[in-house]
Amino acid sequence: MAILTVLTYPDEFLSQPAKPVENIDGTVQNMIEDMSSTMYKAPGVGLAAIQVGFDQSIIIYDILPRDEKRSLHVLINPKIISSEGTTISENEGCLSVPDYRADVKRSASILVEGFDRKEKPLRIEANGFLAVVLQHEIDHLNGILFIDRISSLKKSLYKRRIKKQLRQK
Ligand code: NI
């Protein structure tokens, strides 16, 4: 198992949509293992394959990453089937958007369908924090970062900060 490099904004790879997984083969299983080590090491609550340079529709999450009892969830080709209500995620963050957090408007509850790593169909009704995490990760598979969902003023301030940091490197 390897710790992978997490791509960060403004890497253009992050803004492309992921391709659906056609075969849950050894390559995909290995990628899931590497994604898992990478997510727990960070630590993060979720990770999309696109963030580690793999343009396939795979997300993993564990909403208690610091807990001793780990429960890794894998969702392949996830789709949001329906969503209801609105909520504001507090201080949403992302491993691909370092040192920045913002409140983001999200659906309050969602129904997600996809497959687990054994090709078993999954149907997840989520609300609260889990709903936010799933929307955030599924956004990644559509090339969307949470900073694409904040006001353009806030986003331009963040962009400016990143440009400055890149110039100083
Ligand atoms: Ni993220």
Side-chain angles (χ1 to χ4, degrees), residues 51 93-95 136-137 140:
Q51 291 179 273
C94 178
L95 297 175
H136 177 116
E137 299 310 328
H140 275 299

Side-chain angles (χ1 to χ4, degrees), residues 23-166:
N23 290 303
I24 305 176
D25 57 13
T27 310
V28 168
Q29 299 292 355
N30 288 340
M31 180 54 56
I32 291 167
E33 290 305 316
D34 289 349
M35 284 170 68
S36 154
S37 330
T38 307
M39 178 182 78
Y40 285 116
K41 174 89 194 304
V45 292
L47 191 70
I50 200 92
Q51 291 179 273
V52 288
F54 193 61
D55 65 344
Q56 300 273 299
S57 183
I58 305 168
I59 64 171
I60 63 168
Y61 60 95
D62 181 346
I63 59 174
L64 298 168
R66 289 181 178 84
D67 209 46
E68 288 196 3
K69 270 197 234 146
R70 289 180 169 181
S71 66
L72 180 72
H73 295 270
V74 177
L75 253 178
I76 296 170
N77 298 344
K79 287 265 161 359
I80 296 176
I81 301 300
S82 63
S83 52
E84 230 174 76
T86 52
T87 187
I88 303 293
S89 69
E90 280 168 41
N91 268 324
E92 202 168 314
C94 178
L95 297 175
S96 294
V97 185
D99 307 318
Y100 188 71
R101 290 190 169 265
D103 297 349
V104 183
K105 197 173 159 191
R106 297 285 187 187
S107 298
S109 59
I110 53 168
L111 175 64
V112 177
E113 285 182 356
F115 294 87
D116 73 5
R117 61 195 296 184
K118 291 176 184 157
E119 290 183 44
K120 191 180 114 195
L122 296 175
R123 198 176 157 88
I124 302 165
E125 282 176 52
N127 51 53
F129 185 56
L130 179 59
V132 169
V133 170
L134 288 174
Q135 287 168 83
H136 177 116
E137 299 310 328
I138 293 170
D139 265 358
H140 275 299
L141 302 179
N142 295 310
I144 299 167
L145 296 174
F146 80 94
I147 49 172
D148 298 321
R149 295 197 180 277
I150 60 177
S151 75
S152 39
L153 173 69
K154 279 188 191 162
K155 191 180 173 186
S156 63
L157 288 173
Y158 178 70
K159 268 188 181 167
R160 212 179 296 166
R161 198 170 99 193
I162 290 295
K163 272 190 196 150
K164 210 169 146 189
Q165 281 174 6
L166 290 174

Side-chain angles (χ1 to χ4, degrees), residues 6-16 50-51 96 145:
V6 178
L7 304 175
T8 56
Y9 176 85
D11 194 311
E12 282 176 10
F13 199 82
L14 293 167
S15 54
Q16 65 173 322
I50 200 92
Q51 291 179 273
S96 294
L145 296 174

